[in-house]
Structure formats: C-alpha cells, structure tokens
Amino acid sequence: MPSGEASAVRTDSFAVRGMDCSAEEQLVRMALATCGGVRAVQVDLVERTVRVTHDGDLAAVDAALGRLELGSSHLGEVDTPPDADADAGDEAAERRGLVLALGVNATLLVVELVAGLIAGSLGLLADALDMGADASVYAVALLAVGGAASRKLRVARWSGGLQLALAALGLAEVLRRFLGTESLPDPAVMVVVSVLALLGNAVTLVVLHRIRSQDPHIRASWIFTANDVVVNMLVIVAAVAVAVLDSAIPDLVVGLVIFGVVANGARRILRLQPAG
C-alpha cells in the first residue's frame, strides 16, 4: 500500500479451532488488542470463529492470531457491520461476567490448593494452578476494560511468566514423587473437591448466560468451561484409580498432564507481541 494512502476498513472472518473456553476467548481479544488498526472483534465460541474489523492490514491480524497457536485460519472477507466502530457490547454486563468468572476461579483455586495439600494430591494441586491460570486471564481482561492494550500486555506477560514457573515446579514435583516413596493421596478428598469444582463451573455458566442472554450462550455454555470440566473429570478418574490400584501413579499422571497444559497456555501468553 503506497505511503499516505488511507487504509480501507474491512472485516475478515477467522476459524480458531483451539478456542474452546472463555479464557481462550480473552486471549484472542488480548492478542488482537495488541494489533494496530483493529476496530472491532466479534467472537463466536459455538462456531469457534472470530470476525475482525480492521484497517486492511490482514497480515498483521493473521500473525497476531497465529502466535497464539490455537489453530487459526483465514476464512475470507465478510461484510463490515455498519456499527463496526461502536462498542457492540454492554461494558457493565461484560465487567460483571468477568468479575464472576474471576471470583469463581479464584475461590476454586484456594479450595483446591488447600485440599491438594491436605490430600497429598498433585492432581488437585495441578487443577488449582489451572484455575489460577484462568483467573489470571480474567483479571487481566478486567483490568484492561477501557484501558490501554500496552498495560494489558505487560500484566499478561507477568502472569504468563509466573504460571510457567509454577508449572515447571509442578512438573519437577511429579518427577520427585515418581522417583520417591510418597504416601498415597486421599481419593475421597480428590473426588469431593473435584465435584465442588464442577458445581462451581455450573454456577458460572448459569450466571454468564443470564448476563449475556443476547448471545447464543445456551449452546456455548458447555464450551465455555470445556477445559475445566475435562480437568475435573480427570482428577475424579485418577482418584478412583488410586483407590482401586492402591497406587499414586494415576494421580502423578494426571498432575503431569495438567501441569503440561498450564505450561503450554503460559507459553501462548508469553508469545503475545505489542503492535508493531
């Protein structure tokens, strides 16, 4: 594009196959906020698509999404909505939703952390870290509502670095316990706390649906916490296996998997780049 020529505003649709929860939606929005020229972002978690209205620099938008490594691909240009420059959402309602999601995840973080230490379960400790990772994403999004993208990026990177360090410590603890002779974790505590976490996620879904009822969240609700539900179920399965096999190995395996997932999520956050 020649120097001085005005950029044409256009809207492009992208498939983001790996975007399967609301925390990852916030990561997508965060990545696009660091991309200069983006005017509006519409996210459909059900279809796992993102529509970006921008100043015509498609390569920059594509690169910003690609750095997240969530399987994004350009679907093509679509019609730009007439109110693309307006704030399409209700900021107060969005803030309430983020506060709720942050509160639930932070509460579950504390509960699972304490329970994991009492039960001696790395699966619960890993799940607590996973809840903390989601809580940090919501906190960053909440801090940046109406704020500068640069501030959001700085806080996000600090959060990602902390998550990565904690995940590394968790993986080291898995190895230490595997090589050592630790006592068995308490499967009853593992099951009870994981069920409480599932109930907490369900409450979040109901309230988010009521707050943002104009969106197709009745279908998207299970997608919102798909990762959390899978993790909770993994811990429950591990608890049953610990009781049946009289072995701590299932708990260590689940801890290894969850710590790996958190580390990969932290790596995605650290790959966020400022607008060039």
Side-chain angles (χ1 to χ4, degrees):
M1 181 178 296
S3 177
E5 182 178 337
S7 300
V9 175
R10 57 182 282 174
T11 299
D12 286 273
S13 180
F14 295 83
V16 187
R17 294 181 297 277
M19 182 180 63
D20 55 9
C21 69
S22 52
E24 286 171 348
E25 174 189 346
Q26 294 302 327
L27 280 181
V28 167
R29 292 184 180 277
M30 198 182 303
L32 292 172
T34 67
C35 182
V38 172
R39 300 191 179 190
V41 178
Q42 292 178 304
V43 177
D44 187 336
L45 276 174
V46 177
E47 301 297 332
R48 301 187 187 187
T49 58
V50 178
R51 289 191 174 191
V52 186
T53 301
H54 58 100
D55 64 2
D57 192 354
L58 176 60
V61 174
D62 196 26
L65 289 174
R67 280 191 290 269
L68 291 176
E69 298 182 3
L70 290 174
S72 63
S73 59
H74 183 227
L75 298 177
E77 186 175 0
V78 297
D79 291 337
T80 298
D83 58 347
D85 289 317
D87 184 3
D90 181 342
E91 185 174 297
E94 187 68 17
R95 186 183 292 274
R96 289 197 300 272
L98 289 171
V99 168
L100 168 78
L102 172 60
V104 171
N105 278 270
T107 301
L108 292 174
L109 159 65
V110 174
V111 171
E112 290 195 310
L113 181 61
V114 172
L117 292 173
I118 293 174
S121 168
L122 273 184
L124 282 179
L125 292 175
D127 196 8
L129 179 57
D130 184 52
M131 291 291 181
D134 284 351
S136 71
V137 171
Y138 296 131
V140 170
L142 189 60
L143 285 172
V145 170
S150 58
R151 181 181 65 178
K152 182 190 295 188
L153 183 60
R154 286 195 301 271
V155 177
R157 284 180 165 174
W158 181 88
S159 171
L162 178 61
Q163 290 172 36
L164 189 61
L166 291 174
L169 288 175
L171 291 170
E173 179 64 9
V174 170
L175 179 61
R176 187 191 72 81
R177 292 196 183 191
F178 181 77
L179 297 176
T181 55
E182 297 291 325
S183 58
L184 291 179
D186 188 331
V189 174
M190 293 172 65
V191 170
V192 169
V193 174
S194 293
V195 170
L196 288 176
L198 281 170
L199 292 175
N201 286 328
V203 170
T204 305
L205 298 180
V206 171
V207 178
L208 280 175
H209 169 60
R210 289 178 178 174
I211 290 174
R212 301 176 64 186
S213 59
Q214 71 275 17
D215 294 329
H217 281 30
I218 193 65
R219 291 185 296 135
S221 60
W222 291 114
I223 297 175
F224 272 6
T225 55
N227 291 342
D228 294 334
V229 170
V230 169
V231 167
N232 294 150
M233 293 305 299
L234 280 175
V235 176
I236 292 173
V237 170
V240 174
V242 166
V244 171
L245 301 176
D246 195 30
S247 169
I249 295 298
D251 181 59
L252 297 182
V253 170
V254 168
L256 178 66
V257 170
I258 301 173
F259 283 131
V261 168
V262 173
N264 190 50
R267 185 178 62 84
R268 286 173 178 159
I269 293 175
L270 292 174
R271 287 176 64 86
L272 291 172
Q273 299 292 330

